[in-house]
Amino acid sequence: MKFCSIFSLALFAFFFKTNFLVNGELITTTTSNTITGQDDLLELLHTEKVIIGGLRHYIDVQEQKLDILRRKTQEIQNIYDGVGDNREGYLNNPINAVTMLKRITSDWKGLTNFAEDYLDTEELTKNITQNEEITFPTDDDYESALFALLRIQDMFKLEPQRLSVGEVNGIKMGSEMSWSDCLELGLKSNENGYPANAKYWMETALEKIPIVGNLQQQQQNSTETDITDSAAKNLNYFRIKARLEVLGALMNVEYKSGNLDKALKIADEMLQFNPKQKSVIKAMKLIKDDMEKTKKSLNGKQNKKAEKKVNKTDEELMIEEICREATNSQQQQQQIHTAQLETSTDNNNNDNHNNIPQCSLVAYNSKWLLLQPLKVEILNVDPFIVIYHQAVNDKQLNELKEFLVEKQEEDNSIGGDGDDDNGMLQLTNIGLKKMHRLNEKLHSVIGHERAALNARNWRFDFYNFENIMEVEKTATTTKQKSVTTRQAGVMFNLQQPKMGGSVIFPQLQFSVSLPKGALLYWTTLNEFGSEDYRSKYYVCPVIGGSQITATTFVRES
């Protein structure tokens, strides 16, 4: 519409004077005068030059806007092409999931709004968004993914600078984030009670925006620059707006945290970019007033506002510290890691598994183990914890995974041992038969009678960066109505994660990165036949990839 209006005005201005050829002689007429002289014709040539220049300027501006859309589209296309066939692995990465959801939610709205400023995209938007074959995420989906990433960042103390380039503990895990991605994470960190993390994310966002001149200089230079420089001028203008947006959010965080000096410094920097920002001028006055009140206050407190804090139990803090050390030990190819907690003063547990035999080969006179004896690795004596390596082969793991389906909420047929939660996945009838066949081997491996393992009592859980094991589920107790007691626990992985997912025993302060095909066995009763609190276990959050665990408990009446 804008193009048609400009073009119509140009034609009107040009043909306001009309040319006729009569008997081979040029006759030019207007509404008031007749052009007959050479000077008048030269003025028409100048008019034509001005019209052409105006149209070229309009075309250049539109092409620059199209270039922005074309560049953004190509960036998204490059990310999509890099996914390839590994779609599940890509989406099980918290960084990739957050950036993808942001692109489809806020970035998509921003692109359509940007395009609609100069093109009629209503029909295009309508055709795309109403297509029944595609699915758009909700705002809740995006919020959930953001919260999951922030939770992992807090637990593993990951640096925003490294996460923003797709790195976790020095390993490339996902695509690089933009400044707006970092700003979103900073805003969500602040909302969820992590102002320190919020500041780090916002400072990382600023690092991704090149420093340019202030907005007033850009506006003054806008009439002095040539059309060929307009692309760079527009780019600098967008960069200034981006910096102002991040600085405004950072100023708000510093102010609410009570750092009035820093907030005032940020406000001053924002006014250097654009001295006419009324909201910043008002905020600066508010900050100065608070600083004056602080000086007059007897207690000298800068901020009387109560900050939102996230309270964690001692057990949660201990679990987080062990999980961090376990993840670091994974990168060093350490399968077993003993946590060295700063708050720990009792080293008896550490001595317990430093002085025990490590590995041995056993067959137990079993037909299943005669040709391939088990490699047994004892981790702890009291309570007894051991790994049976290569207890389950690849074929058996793949068969079980093939017949795993998502558990229906109304289906309570699986997990007949009386547990409160029966897992996220369940086996089909064919899968139950294969699990029963595998139990024939596993009961001889762990040294219990045949009836100790029941195919229906296995619990299957799926873990990724969003699905994590809650701390309260580490309890070893069962429902009071149950007439049986857990004597021992058995676990193996059907699917290995890329990073994270270690099994830890918080009270023993050590972790296990369970190898593929290995069986973890631990006792849950103490010498008096009561449940041993030290046998409580926890599965650490998965940072990269996904993990499927199978867990059951040997019970005695």
Side-chain angles (χ1 to χ4, degrees):
M1 294 298 292
K2 291 182 180 179
F3 177 77
C4 294
S5 301
I6 294 176
F7 190 67
S8 300
L9 289 173
L11 291 178
F12 176 76
F14 184 70
F15 288 107
F16 188 77
K17 299 179 178 181
T18 310
N19 301 324
F20 297 95
L21 277 173
V22 180
N23 295 329
E25 183 180 356
L26 177 65
I27 300 176
T28 305
T29 62
T30 68
T31 57
S32 59
N33 298 312
T34 301
I35 297 177
T36 56
Q38 185 72 20
D39 293 339
D40 294 330
L41 293 175
L42 289 174
E43 288 183 7
L44 288 180
L45 286 175
H46 176 70
T47 301
E48 188 176 37
K49 178 183 177 181
V50 172
I51 293 172
I52 293 173
L55 290 174
R56 286 189 179 278
H57 175 72
Y58 177 79
I59 292 170
D60 288 341
V61 171
Q62 302 310 309
E63 286 183 345
Q64 290 166 18
K65 294 180 178 179
L66 284 173
D67 285 341
I68 293 175
L69 288 174
R70 189 178 293 113
R71 185 171 63 251
K72 187 65 178 177
T73 302
Q74 187 59 46
E75 290 175 1
I76 299 175
Q77 181 67 47
N78 292 339
I79 295 173
Y80 181 80
D81 292 342
V83 176
D85 297 331
N86 187 27
R87 296 184 178 183
E88 183 178 350
Y90 178 84
L91 296 178
N92 280 326
N93 183 296
I95 301 175
N96 294 337
V98 167
T99 53
M100 185 197 69
L101 287 170
K102 179 178 177 294
R103 289 195 301 268
I104 301 179
T105 51
S106 59
D107 286 2
W108 163 252
K109 294 177 184 177
L111 286 174
T112 53
N113 292 336
F114 176 78
E116 286 170 357
D117 286 342
Y118 67 99
L119 290 175
D120 183 11
T121 61
E122 182 178 356
E123 190 66 26
L124 171 65
T125 305
K126 182 179 179 181
N127 291 339
I128 293 178
T129 56
Q130 291 186 355
N131 192 332
E132 296 182 358
E133 297 180 359
I134 62 177
T135 302
F136 278 81
T138 63
D139 292 338
D140 290 340
D141 295 331
Y142 181 39
E143 295 279 336
S144 177
L146 275 174
F147 180 73
L149 178 57
L150 293 174
R151 180 177 54 190
I152 289 177
Q153 180 202 356
D154 179 63
M155 171 172 276
F156 292 98
K157 305 300 181 186
L158 303 177
E159 297 180 0
Q161 288 84 353
R162 302 266 51 89
L163 279 176
S164 67
V165 296
E167 287 185 9
V168 177
N169 289 345
I171 298 177
K172 185 71 173 177
M173 296 287 291
S175 54
E176 184 172 352
M177 295 182 181
S178 64
W179 69 266
S180 59
D181 296 333
C182 297
L183 176 59
E184 285 276 352
L185 286 164
L187 293 173
K188 293 304 174 185
S189 295
N190 191 44
E191 290 178 10
N192 288 282
Y194 299 99
N197 287 346
K199 288 189 285 187
Y200 290 142
W201 277 112
M202 293 174 185
E203 290 168 357
T204 303
L206 286 175
E207 293 174 0
K208 290 180 172 289
I209 307 173
I211 299 177
V212 292
N214 63 51
L215 186 60
Q216 194 174 30
Q217 290 176 345
Q218 296 292 328
Q219 292 173 341
Q220 290 175 352
N221 295 335
S222 62
T223 57
E224 302 173 2
T225 54
D226 296 330
I227 294 176
T228 54
D229 297 331
S230 57
K233 179 187 66 178
N234 288 336
L235 181 59
N236 286 341
Y237 178 78
F238 286 124
R239 287 173 176 173
I240 291 174
K241 289 188 66 177
R243 290 191 72 85
L244 289 175
E245 184 178 354
V246 179
L247 286 171
L250 184 57
M251 177 183 65
N252 185 49
V253 172
E254 295 287 10
Y255 174 73
K256 290 185 176 180
S257 299
N259 303 321
L260 300 182
D261 291 336
K262 291 183 178 179
L264 185 62
K265 184 177 179 181
I266 294 172
D268 183 64
E269 182 180 352
M270 294 177 69
L271 290 179
Q272 291 178 10
F273 281 103
N274 184 5
K276 298 181 180 180
Q277 298 179 87
K278 294 182 179 179
S279 60
V280 180
I281 295 174
K282 184 178 178 181
M284 179 176 281
K285 183 179 182 303
L286 180 62
I287 295 171
K288 289 181 178 179
D289 290 343
D290 282 2
M291 293 178 71
E292 192 66 26
K293 292 177 183 178
T294 301
K295 292 179 181 179
K296 296 179 180 179
S297 176
L298 296 176
N299 53 22
K301 293 183 179 178
Q302 287 188 335
N303 188 8
K304 296 181 180 179
K305 299 178 181 179
E307 294 185 6
K308 179 181 177 182
K309 295 183 179 179
V310 179
N311 296 321
K312 298 180 180 179
T313 64
D314 293 339
E315 184 178 25
E316 289 176 324
L317 294 173
M318 181 170 60
I319 286 175
E320 289 183 1
E321 187 170 353
I322 299 176
C323 283
R324 284 195 296 272
E325 294 193 14
T327 303
N328 293 333
S329 66
Q330 283 181 337
Q331 296 177 248
Q332 302 170 4
Q333 304 297 322
Q334 294 181 12
Q335 177 187 311
I336 314 300
H337 180 73
T338 301
Q340 302 294 337
L341 301 183
E342 296 179 0
T343 57
S344 176
T345 58
D346 184 9
N347 295 321
N348 293 333
N349 289 329
N350 294 339
D351 295 338
N352 207 16
H353 41 253
N354 283 336
N355 298 326
I356 59 176
Q358 293 298 312
C359 298
S360 60
L361 293 176
V362 296
Y364 296 137
N365 293 325
S366 170
K367 63 178 181 179
W368 303 99
L369 307 175
L370 288 177
L371 297 179
Q372 188 177 6
L374 283 176
K375 178 184 177 183
V376 180
E377 187 172 4
I378 301 176
L379 308 181
N380 200 74
V381 174
D382 183 23
F384 185 69
I385 305 175
V386 63
I387 293 180
Y388 299 101
H389 291 270
Q390 300 176 350
V392 187
N393 58 46
D394 291 346
K395 180 181 178 181
Q396 292 167 330
L397 292 175
N398 293 332
E399 285 180 346
L400 290 176
K401 284 171 56 179
E402 182 181 354
F403 296 105
L404 273 177
V405 295
E406 188 173 352
K407 184 173 176 57
Q408 302 299 322
E409 293 183 0
E410 65 276 6
D411 190 351
N412 295 319
S413 60
I414 309 298
D417 59 356
D419 285 347
D420 293 336
D421 189 353
N422 298 318
M424 310 169 195
L425 305 173
Q426 66 180 15
L427 289 170
T428 62
N429 290 333
I430 298 178
L432 288 173
K433 293 180 180 179
K434 294 185 177 295
M435 190 72 244
H436 177 74
R437 191 176 302 118
L438 179 60
N439 284 342
E440 292 291 322
K441 173 184 178 181
L442 296 184
H443 85 85
S444 61
V445 170
I446 62 177
H448 285 268
E449 59 185 12
R450 190 184 304 272
L453 298 179
N454 187 322
R456 291 185 175 275
N457 290 348
W458 282 91
R459 167 196 172 106
F460 297 91
D461 289 299
F462 175 83
Y463 299 112
N464 60 6
F465 70 95
E466 289 186 294
N467 299 323
I468 69 171
M469 184 176 183
E470 302 298 335
V471 174
E472 57 265 20
K473 292 182 181 178
T474 61
T476 59
T477 58
T478 61
K479 290 183 178 180
Q480 293 181 358
K481 67 179 182 179
S482 176
V483 296
T484 60
T485 302
R486 291 178 175 178
Q487 184 181 17
V490 185
M491 177 189 293
F492 65 93
N493 285 338
L494 282 77
Q495 183 167 300
Q496 303 293 118
K498 290 184 178 179
M499 184 179 294
S502 297
V503 182
I504 68 170
F505 293 86
Q507 300 299 328
L508 299 175
Q509 299 179 9
F510 79 93
S511 62
V512 181
S513 295
L514 200 57
K516 185 178 182 180
L519 197 71
L520 180 65
Y521 174 89
W522 69 98
T523 58
T524 60
L525 300 180
N526 59 24
E527 56 184 316
F528 304 105
S530 302
E531 292 183 351
D532 194 339
Y533 73 96
R534 298 172 301 170
S535 64
K536 293 171 61 176
Y537 75 98
Y538 179 80
V539 179
C540 294
V542 173
I543 302 178
S546 59
Q547 177 177 359
I548 300 177
T549 63
T551 311
T552 191
F553 288 91
V554 177
R555 297 181 178 275
E556 293 293 339
S557 299

